[in-house]
Amino acid sequence: MSIADLLHQTLRNLSSHKRRNFFSAFGVTWGVAAVLLLAGWGVSVQHYMREGMEAFGKDIIVVFPGHTSKGIGGYRAGRPIPLFLEDVEAIRAYSSSTKLVIPVDQYYPTVSRGNISEAHTVRGVVPDARIMRNLTPERGRFFTSDDMENRRRVCVIGPKIRDEYFKTYEDPLGKTLKIKGVSFTIIGILPEKQQMVNIGPRDEQLIFIPFSTGRRLFGRRYLFCIMAKSFQPEQDEQTVVEIRKALAIKHNFAPDDEEAVWIIPLTRYTKQTESFAKAVGVFVAGVGILTLAIGSIAITNMMLVSVSERVQEIGIRRAAGATRGNLLWQFLTETLILTSIAGAVGFMLGFALLWLIGRLPIPDYIPTPVVSLKVAIVAAITMVIAGIVAGITPARRAATIPPVDAIKGNVRAWIPKIKTSRMRLILPGIVGEILSQATQDIRTARMRAALTGFGVFWGIAAVALLVGWGTAMRDQMQSQIDKLGGRRTVLYPRRIKSKIACAKRNSLLRFTERDIEDLRCNAWFIEYLSPEISPGFPVIEYGSVARAFHTLGVDPDARIIRNFSMAKGRFINERDIAEKRKICVLGASAKQKIFASTDALGKTVRIDGIPFLVVGVMAAKGEQTSIETSLDDEKVLIPYTTASIITGRRYPDRLVLHPTTSVPYEEIEERVKKMILENHDLEDEDAIGMYSALEAKEEISKIMLGLTAFLGAVGLITLLVGAVGVANIMFVSVAQRTREIGIRRAVGAKRTHILTQFLFEAVLICVAAGILGALFATGVASLLGVAKLPLFFAAPRIEGSVILVIAAAIIGAGIVSGLFPARKAALVNVTESLRYE
């Protein structure tokens, strides 16, 4: 047989059952589309996270000042190690793997224009920061060597600064901002970018000035930090060692003292992020590929039915000289062409959906699926493999049928054998009889029923895994917020806008005792309140140990607000506050570094030379995705009133609240600001800054709800495709059992009995396959739950709401897949069906 004859015969055979072949191939069509959507979304997540990490700068090593943790050369531990401009030259001279080293200064001046005056972070940087820190302006230019040499008063601003000081119709380029009373000309505006890494405020909230200009005007001696870059990212760990040794020689501390200077190679976090993104990509792409692979099973099932229907044709062709190879290639070609056509439609559907999703008003912080050449190639290869696998079994079965038996019609390759044994009633009455008949029919064609139910099996598993993973990721992110306090709301003072346009400096709002008492007594929607004062990083001494730790003055309510739990001892209480006691509570890591395995309770430590009694040790919180000045495990807490005495501060740095959830956060924000402004006889709402973990959790819920809806929709469509496969086979079953239906109608069966029986068959197949799919998904989720997964990647969790969705989906799939074939069976004409062959 020539190739032309083979293709002609194949197309004629496929066109003879258009509807049946269309529904059979629908699984492959959606499988290809699912691969493009899911794997495309996985690629988008990887691009999003990579761009978010590189928005700060690629492969940067950041060096911060610290305190020694070891004594050396007559110096005690706890000695501060500041960074100087000369340290940059020391690193350049010592480190052979360092490609670039730059100094960074940071200031916190008042920035004003017109009657707008606010405190902002200003950073002094050198021209090389443009490349290292990814600071290329969207409009205008960055600093040049000439700007540095002449100490020009120019600045580059972030988009948030632009929006704060300029109206939408104003062009900031060439305009001036007053930084600490000094006029700076704006020469560049940074673009908006999704920045996943930042030190302090994001770039969009910063003002950059030439390093030399800042040094001359603001007289800073110490550097904020030093940034370095290796020749190759693989050299980062070597570079870290060399930088620490260079600074150890210059500042006389131990080269292995990691706390003397804090050196952070961002490649560590980049690798963690990439591992997380790859895990997401592999998980969702795996679901898509399995969807495509299982979609091909419907084609296998239908081709087996085709072999059964064409047994005599096979026998005649064998008798006429056709070889087994001819028959094998005939059926394999039919399968491949059917798969290819379905795949081509799937590609068009997938690209159309990607185009449509790309046009939806989705926020920038939510990754959307993208068209990827790699994903398209993977989908095409998987489609071809699926087509070959789907066609091998039917083709081999056709090729192995003996010619004599095929001509006589004695072969039943895929037609169920009708058993005449009496059925056992499952339930009494007509319902039991119908249900028993449906069960018997399924048992008669077990293999066909199993392959038919595979689509529903994977559809349910896909729904459970995708929705369960979206739910688990939402809870994982929210649990990270809960570590620091799930309802923690921070109020911080800002500058009060002057009503006089020419005012050089606006006063800073101060929270008073009246504000604290007013919120405690009159704000019923605030459950807990703690004023806080931060003494910074004082040296804490015990015996020969001297370490610098972030120390925080708090109120007893901070235990609830900040989600601290005690491992030993007690927390700060009201008597400690009233008597201004010198007691402290240690974080888990702080206790370990100071006391090691020794019990800390009852011991006395010295904080900046002042003795404090250790009354408690907090339970470890572990990894945190968000850090406020320090990890909670490395904090040392003292009474708020005691912190006020040792720092000399009369006013708290901030107020930390734990609001009720019975009132919307927006209303709480409005009420709190109104109460404090009334106490200060002000109307300027911007004088009070406010941040709430509730807002962050709400944003995460919105993001993950959209993600879960997207993944769930993919899963539900996969289930619908599985249900279509069941319906398709049920239509074939109705056609093959037309005579049986006629006989049953002739002996007294009603149309409702026939409809119910076929509907029961479809529902039973879907329920059995759905239960197995749910168990399979639960097993996969359990295995992932005990597996070593990338940091912050959550295993799918099959919870109650997901189970309810699954149950409803199973019943719905059964009804949808069985209703139309059952109606067709019920409407069969009795007379014509008795003559049907």
Side-chain angles (χ1 to χ4, degrees), residues 41 48 65 81 224 234-235 396 430 607 623 649 706 746 788:
W41 181 76
Y48 177 85
I81 304 296
F224 169 65
E234 296 78 15
Q235 297 177 306
R396 289 186 60 195
I430 188 66
I607 302 178
E623 291 284 352
R649 298 179 197 168
K788 186 177 180 180

Side-chain angles (χ1 to χ4, degrees), residues 509-769:
L509 179 70
R510 302 288 189 183
F511 294 135
T512 64
E513 288 298 323
R514 179 182 175 185
D515 296 327
I516 297 172
E517 289 304 314
D518 196 13
L519 289 173
R520 280 178 171 161
C521 298
N522 300 321
W524 58 268
F525 44 86
I526 302 296
E527 296 179 357
Y528 300 94
L529 168 67
S530 173
E532 292 184 354
I533 289 179
S534 176
F537 285 79
V539 175
I540 299 177
E541 300 174 275
Y542 177 74
S544 60
V545 178
R547 297 285 186 94
F549 288 102
H550 180 213
T551 303
L552 197 61
V554 298
D555 196 83
D557 285 353
R559 186 177 65 85
I560 302 295
I561 298 171
R562 286 184 169 271
N563 192 25
F564 290 127
S565 58
M566 304 306 299
K568 284 187 176 181
R570 66 174 179 85
F571 199 72
I572 297 166
N573 59 35
E574 293 293 346
R575 190 169 178 181
D576 297 328
I577 298 293
E579 297 180 4
K580 303 174 183 176
R581 290 176 170 176
K582 296 181 178 63
I583 59 98
C584 66
V585 177
L586 305 179
S589 295
K591 182 268 174 189
Q592 186 64 28
K593 289 179 179 179
I594 298 172
F595 292 96
S597 57
T598 307
D599 187 7
L601 294 184
K603 302 294 194 305
T604 299
V605 298
R606 301 184 73 85
I607 302 178
D608 262 355
I610 303 172
F612 278 74
L613 180 69
V614 178
V615 298
V617 177
M618 294 181 287
K621 289 188 177 183
E623 291 284 352
Q624 292 178 204
T625 54
S626 177
I627 299 175
E628 293 185 354
T629 309
S630 67
L631 294 169
D632 279 1
D633 288 342
E634 298 193 351
K635 284 182 170 64
V636 175
L637 307 182
I638 62 176
Y640 161 73
T641 49
T642 308
S644 178
I645 292 174
I646 64 175
T647 60
R649 298 179 197 168
R650 296 174 52 196
Y651 306 103
D653 296 331
R654 58 189 162 267
L655 303 179
V656 188
L657 317 174
H658 184 86
T660 181
T661 55
S662 60
V663 178
Y665 167 74
E666 293 77 9
E667 185 177 338
I668 291 174
E669 180 180 19
E670 183 180 346
R671 291 186 180 190
V672 167
K673 286 186 175 182
K674 183 178 179 181
M675 291 178 70
I676 295 177
L677 291 174
E678 285 179 353
N679 289 339
H680 294 264
D681 193 23
L682 295 172
E683 296 180 357
D684 180 13
E685 292 188 359
D686 292 334
I688 302 173
M690 201 164 178
Y691 159 80
S692 177
L694 291 171
E695 275 189 304
K697 292 179 76 171
E698 185 178 351
E699 286 300 317
I700 287 175
S701 293
K702 289 178 181 178
I703 294 171
M704 297 311 297
L705 179 62
L707 172 61
T708 305
F710 166 69
L711 297 175
V714 173
L716 286 174
I717 294 176
T718 302
L719 175 59
L720 178 62
V721 171
V724 169
V726 175
N728 198 24
I729 290 296
M730 290 303 298
F731 275 119
V732 173
S733 179
V734 170
Q736 290 180 344
R737 295 162 61 185
T738 300
R739 188 175 179 82
E740 172 199 333
I741 294 168
I743 294 172
R744 293 192 62 197
R745 288 293 310 280
V747 297
K750 298 180 180 180
R751 286 183 174 179
T752 55
H753 298 160
I754 302 297
L755 185 144
T756 306
Q757 179 187 331
F758 279 88
L759 186 59
F760 273 8
E761 287 186 28
V763 170
L764 286 174
I765 291 173
C766 289
V767 168

Side-chain angles (χ1 to χ4, degrees), residues 171-217:
D171 184 5
L173 290 180
K175 303 291 194 307
T176 60
L177 287 176
K178 285 192 174 181
I179 301 176
K180 205 173 182 180
V182 180
S183 294
F184 279 74
T185 302
I186 300 171
I187 61 171
I189 303 169
L190 297 175
E192 295 183 1
K193 51 186 177 180
Q194 297 297 326
Q195 189 174 326
M196 296 182 65
V197 175
N198 55 285
I199 298 172
R202 296 176 184 271
D203 291 349
E204 62 187 9
Q205 299 170 304
L206 294 176
I207 300 172
F208 294 90
I209 62 174
F211 181 83
S212 56
T213 306
R215 284 264 152 159
R216 180 172 185 176
L217 292 175

Side-chain angles (χ1 to χ4, degrees), residues 4 15 22 98 205 337 349 380 413 420 445 485 503 509 516 544 609 619 755 775:
S15 63
F22 170 78
T98 304
Q205 299 170 304
I337 289 179
L349 175 62
T420 57
L509 179 70
I516 297 172
S544 60
L755 185 144
L775 293 175

Side-chain angles (χ1 to χ4, degrees), residues 330-408:
Q330 175 70 53
F331 282 89
L332 189 57
T333 303
E334 288 184 22
T335 307
L336 286 174
I337 289 179
L338 185 59
T339 303
S340 299
I341 293 173
V345 176
F347 273 105
M348 290 187 288
L349 175 62
F351 288 136
L353 289 174
L354 288 172
W355 179 86
L356 179 61
I357 293 173
R359 299 301 183 276
L360 294 176
I362 299 174
D364 293 337
Y365 52 79
I366 300 179
T368 55
V370 296
V371 177
S372 169
L373 179 60
K374 290 182 179 179
V375 171
I377 292 173
V378 169
I381 293 173
T382 307
M383 179 190 70
V384 172
I385 294 173
I388 294 172
V389 172
I392 285 177
T393 300
R396 289 186 60 195
R397 180 159 296 194
T400 55
I401 295 176
V404 177
D405 292 337
I407 293 173
K408 291 179 180 179

